[in-house]
Each structure stands twice: as structure tokens, then as C-alpha cells.
């Protein structure tokens, strides 16, 4: 469920959202091994915050034309990235009855993020016609 290409019409404004990681499940716990949850929980946190950030700019998830997803290997999966967990969260925000648009997407397994418990970081590009 990703677009193989996206066209941004001439005159559109592009919005570049910095990479974001998931928030801790309990704001008081940022150090325990499960503080941020699994890949799916972290992706849900990121997409939920992304949706709110876009709304503050007068945009929706339907305006997202490109996602870049950085995944850390999950120790519980033998060091493999949990692309399926990320995709489960993604499908709740893209390609739905309420929001049918699909952005282009790239996903990479990387060595690590700022905190060892963080398993995913996502950056986005959105576009809106003027």
C-alpha cells in the first residue's frame, strides 16, 4: 500500500517534516527497555503526532507525498527490522476509507537511533496546491 510515484502540481507549497521518533509510553520512563514500546507502538505515536503537526499547518495526512522510514533491528526479532509492525500502523493513517491517499515511501534498516529503545524514525514531505 504505497504509491510508486507522486506528482506535485506546479505552484504547490512543499512542507518538510523533520524526522520524528515515538514518545515514551509513560513520560516518566525513558530508560527502561520497553519505555517506547515495539515498532508498531512507536510508529503509531509518530503518525499520531505527525497528523497533529500537519493539522496545525492546515494540512492532513492526505497531503503527505513522501515518507522516509528508518528502522532499527528489533532485538526481539533477532536484530531484523519490524517492517510489518510499521506497516500495521501506517495502514491506520494511509489508504483508509477516510484518507485514501498513499504517499511514496522508502524504508531502511539502520544501526541505531538516539536512544537504544527507539526502533523507528520517520520524516515526511507534504504538498499543498496554492
Amino acid at each position: 500500500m504505497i504509491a510508486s510515484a507522486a506528482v506535485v502540481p506546479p505552484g504547490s507549497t512543499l512542507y518538510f517534516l523533520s524526522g520524528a521518533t515515538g514518545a515514551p509510553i509513560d513520560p516518566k520512563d525513558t530508560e527502561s527497555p520497553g519505555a517506547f514500546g515495539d515498532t508498531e507502538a512507536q510508529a503509531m505515536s509518530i503518525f499520531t503526532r505527525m497528523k497533529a503537526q500537519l493539522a496545525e499547518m492546515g494540512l492532513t495526512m492526505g497531503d503527505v507525498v513522501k515518507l522516509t522510514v528508518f528502522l532499527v533491528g528489533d532485538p526481539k526479532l533477532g536484530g531484523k527490522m519490524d517492517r510489518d509492525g510499521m506497516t500495521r500502523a501506517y495502514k491506520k493513517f494511509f489508504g483508509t476509507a477516510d484518507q485514501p491517499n498513499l504517499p511514496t515511501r522508502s524504508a531502511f534498516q539502520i544501526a541505531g537511533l538516539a536512544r537504544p529503545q527507539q526502533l523507528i524514525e520517520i520524516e515526511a514531505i507534504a504538498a499543498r496546491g496554492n
Side-chain angles (χ1 to χ4, degrees):
M1 290 185 69
I2 61 173
S4 60
V7 176
V8 177
S12 296
T13 300
L14 296 177
Y15 302 81
F16 296 83
L17 280 63
S18 293
T21 56
I25 296 168
D26 175 354
K28 296 175 191 158
D29 176 18
T30 59
E31 301 301 324
S32 71
F36 294 83
D38 62 10
T39 299
E40 183 175 357
Q42 291 182 36
M44 284 296 297
S45 173
I46 295 165
F47 287 133
T48 299
R49 289 185 10 240
M50 181 183 293
K51 184 176 180 178
Q53 181 182 10
L54 290 166
E56 288 175 7
M57 295 185 286
L59 303 169
T60 70
M61 294 298 262
D63 294 311
V64 175
V65 295
K66 171 74 172 135
L67 292 174
T68 305
V69 181
F70 303 96
L71 293 153
V72 175
D74 188 335
K76 294 177 185 172
L77 298 176
K80 294 181 182 176
M81 66 180 184
D82 185 7
R83 187 167 182 257
D84 292 341
M86 186 279 300
T87 299
R88 284 190 296 274
Y90 168 90
K91 287 181 176 181
K92 293 177 181 170
F93 293 88
F94 300 99
T96 67
D98 291 337
Q99 198 296 97
N101 294 346
L102 299 172
T104 62
R105 185 178 83 197
S106 299
F108 306 93
Q109 182 165 335
I110 61 171
L113 291 166
R115 293 182 182 270
Q117 307 94 325
Q118 292 173 326
L119 300 172
I120 184 169
E121 181 170 334
I122 303 173
E123 59 185 36
I125 301 172
R128 172 63 67 87
N130 294 327

